[in-house]
Amino acid sequence: AVGLSDGMIHVHWTSTCQAAVLLSHGEPVRILRFGNLTKVLVSAGLRSIKLWDVSTGLELLELKTKSNPLAVDFDEDDKRLVAATRSNEMFEWSTDDGSIVSHYSWHHSLPSDFRQIISRVSSIVAISMGHNLMAIGYRSMPLCLWDLEARRLLGFCTKESDRSEEH
């Protein structure tokens, strides 16, 4: 699938590269993610997330967000959809009816010695529901690893300095 700035999503068959279906998100498409088991696709723009049935081209759900999504992922059986937003919030919805399963802000749970992060906007986020992990990147800061199930900080990843540069 290819999402475009005009809001169109072109879905192609993997075996033949032929066009399968054309979808209209309605705003520039920033994120696309296929389901794990079912024939669903999630698309995210600046203020909305849509769930599609790619076999029929039907829009199944539209979820509105106040802040633009940075990452989305499905759980293992595509029953839940999670999204991390630029406002440092995590949303979890049921894919059956779009109801909110949970909503929280991750940066308020950081230890007091990392409070300088709270005022920062995350630059990039990656989510793995299968591993219950979220990686959060902040400009000029170490990569933050977050436990999605426990909703707590696991730690920070830093680059080791090159010993040859020190000599």
Side-chain angles (χ1 to χ4, degrees), residues 66-150:
K66 293 180 181 176
S67 180
N68 59 315
L70 295 175
V72 297
D73 198 15
F74 290 99
D75 69 350
E76 63 279 349
D77 59 1
D78 302 334
K79 294 291 183 189
R80 293 179 300 146
L81 172 68
V82 296
T85 67
R86 187 163 300 284
S87 59
N88 297 331
E89 294 176 287
M90 176 64 81
F91 291 88
E92 183 177 344
W93 295 277
S94 165
T95 56
D96 290 331
D97 59 7
S99 60
I100 292 182
V101 175
S102 71
H103 169 231
Y104 63 93
S105 180
W106 69 75
H107 67 288
H108 290 301
S109 302
L110 293 172
S112 59
D113 46 335
F114 295 104
R115 292 290 183 212
Q116 74 273 18
I117 294 176
I118 290 176
S119 62
R120 295 179 181 235
V121 174
S122 47
S123 303
I124 190 166
V125 176
I127 301 171
S128 173
M129 288 288 288
H131 294 97
N132 282 317
L133 288 175
M134 176 169 61
I136 310 159
Y138 297 94
R139 189 173 314 274
S140 302
M141 294 294 296
L143 183 68
C144 176
L145 291 180
W146 188 262
D147 183 321
L148 294 173
E149 189 173 0

Side-chain angles (χ1 to χ4, degrees), residues 55-72:
S55 61
T56 63
L58 292 175
E59 180 183 312
L60 302 175
L61 291 173
E62 180 175 12
L63 308 164
K64 296 291 186 178
T65 60
K66 293 180 181 176
S67 180
N68 59 315
L70 295 175
V72 297

Side-chain angles (χ1 to χ4, degrees), residues 18-36:
Q18 292 181 322
V21 67
L22 183 64
L23 310 170
S24 178
H25 184 83
E27 63 182 350
V29 178
R30 302 282 188 234
I31 303 169
L32 293 173
R33 173 80 168 85
F34 282 102
N36 296 311

